[in-house]
């Protein structure tokens, strides 16, 4: 359970960091920025989950 929560928290930090970077630094509209941030965070969450969280479960 700790692994799952760590990966989820990491995904949240990645999402917020990417949103800030795309919106404030790159000047992209916030809706497009959030879409890109979601894609990045989803990819991280998925890969970390199958390679770290659930690796020993199957």
């Amino acid at each position: 359970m700790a692994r799952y929560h760590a990966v989820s928290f990491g995904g949240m930090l990645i999402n917020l960091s990417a949103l800030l970077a795309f919106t404030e630094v790159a000047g992209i509209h916030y809706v497009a920025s959030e879409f890109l941030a979601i894609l990045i965070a989803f990819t991280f969450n998925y890969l970390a989950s199958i390679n770290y969280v659930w690796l020993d479960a199957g």
Side-chain angles (χ1 to χ4, degrees):
M1 184 169 54
R3 287 181 181 185
Y4 172 79
H5 286 293
V7 167
S8 295
F9 184 71
M12 181 189 66
L13 291 178
I14 289 170
N15 188 323
L16 292 174
S17 299
L19 176 62
L20 178 67
F22 290 141
T23 305
E24 299 298 327
V25 178
I28 301 172
H29 190 267
Y30 73 95
V31 175
S33 296
E34 183 58 24
F35 178 74
L36 293 172
I38 288 170
L39 288 178
I40 293 168
F42 169 79
T43 303
F44 168 79
N45 283 336
Y46 177 75
L47 293 174
S49 289
I50 63 172
N51 291 313
Y52 178 67
V53 175
W54 305 111
L55 185 64
D56 297 332

